[in-house]
Amino acid sequence: MIVNPINPFEYVSILISLILGLGITQLLSSLTDLLYQYNKVKFYWPHSIWIGFILFLHIQDWFITFQLKDKLVWNLPELVFVLLYPITLFAVAKLLLPTNDREEKHNMKSFYQNQFQVIFFIVSMSILISIIFNLLLLKNSLNEQIPLILFFTVMILFSVRKIENEILHKVLAIFVFAGSLSSVLIERNVWVIK
């Protein structure tokens, strides 16, 4: 009798971890490049919050995916669906920071204003994927998804309507930061790997 040394979840989680690792690497290496030449960079705090938030989402996905550890059978459509979220996070990580080192100076406010529409659209798609994931795979209730549904609505509105009001962007950044912090504090018993 041949014993399989790796279970299906472990096998699937390797690919998920690779994509999440690429996204985290992208964020950290691009941010480090900017910090390396900090005297040529004009940072913009709402943009910095988004960088931290997307890094947070990468780590959060790594935690949440572990809830599927008891799933014994995986098919290709399920795997592709589960991979969509880390793929969208990687795309946002890639778009969130400049990768062109040839620029003399970096104004992160201008960069953010030029990129936010695409970034917010991809983030809204990741939120939609997250809602479906929570409902179908984690069997969470629709009521538990209300905060995500509201967040999806705001993000898609900012993206599609191309809302450029700086005050609204700052308010959104504050809500993103406060929401992330409160979710970690409120759900600290959920953020456990056993």
Side-chain angles (χ1 to χ4, degrees):
M1 176 186 230
I2 298 174
V3 177
N4 189 353
I6 186 169
N7 71 38
F9 172 76
E10 291 169 340
Y11 186 75
V12 165
S13 69
I14 292 169
L15 189 53
I16 295 167
S17 297
L18 282 171
I19 297 168
L20 289 172
L22 286 171
I24 291 169
T25 300
Q26 177 64 42
L27 281 171
L28 296 179
S29 64
S30 296
L31 182 59
T32 304
D33 288 345
L34 288 178
L35 292 174
Y36 183 72
Q37 45 185 328
Y38 71 92
N39 55 342
K40 298 178 183 177
V41 178
K42 186 176 179 184
F43 289 96
Y44 182 56
W45 69 264
H47 179 252
S48 298
I49 287 176
W50 279 101
I51 294 168
F53 179 63
I54 297 304
L55 178 61
F56 167 78
L57 290 181
H58 278 80
I59 296 165
Q60 181 190 44
D61 189 45
W62 182 72
F63 259 90
I64 289 174
T65 302
F66 191 70
Q67 293 179 22
L68 299 174
K69 68 184 179 303
D70 297 326
K71 186 169 173 46
L72 298 175
V73 178
W74 287 81
N75 59 46
L76 185 60
E78 288 172 329
L79 175 61
V80 169
F81 176 73
V82 170
L83 290 174
L84 286 176
Y85 187 75
I87 288 169
T88 59
L89 290 181
F90 173 79
V92 171
K94 185 79 173 158
L95 293 168
L96 201 53
L97 289 158
T99 55
N100 184 359
D101 291 342
R102 296 180 190 153
E103 299 228 5
E104 289 292 317
K105 295 186 178 187
H106 291 285
N107 182 331
M108 299 318 293
K109 181 178 179 181
S110 296
F111 182 82
Y112 171 82
Q113 289 170 336
N114 290 332
Q115 295 290 100
F116 88 85
Q117 191 175 11
V118 174
I119 290 169
F120 283 18
F121 182 77
I122 296 172
V123 168
S124 66
M125 292 303 102
S126 71
I127 297 166
L128 184 60
I129 292 165
S130 181
I131 292 168
I132 296 168
F133 176 88
N134 292 343
L135 292 171
L136 298 181
L137 292 173
L138 298 183
K139 307 293 184 199
N140 292 343
S141 72
L142 188 58
N143 286 340
E144 293 173 298
Q145 305 313 303
I146 290 173
L148 282 177
I149 293 168
L150 292 173
F151 189 34
F152 168 79
T153 304
V154 169
M155 294 304 292
I156 201 75
L157 280 174
F158 267 76
S159 175
V160 172
R161 304 283 307 254
K162 196 173 183 183
I163 296 172
E164 295 178 343
N165 183 307
E166 186 175 1
I167 294 171
L168 290 177
H169 279 270
K170 288 180 177 180
V171 168
L172 180 60
I174 290 168
F175 273 106
V176 163
F177 177 77
S180 301
L181 186 61
S182 63
S183 76
V184 170
L185 295 175
I186 292 169
E187 297 183 350
R188 66 181 174 275
N189 294 331
V190 175
W191 292 72
V192 176
I193 296 178
K194 296 180 186 179

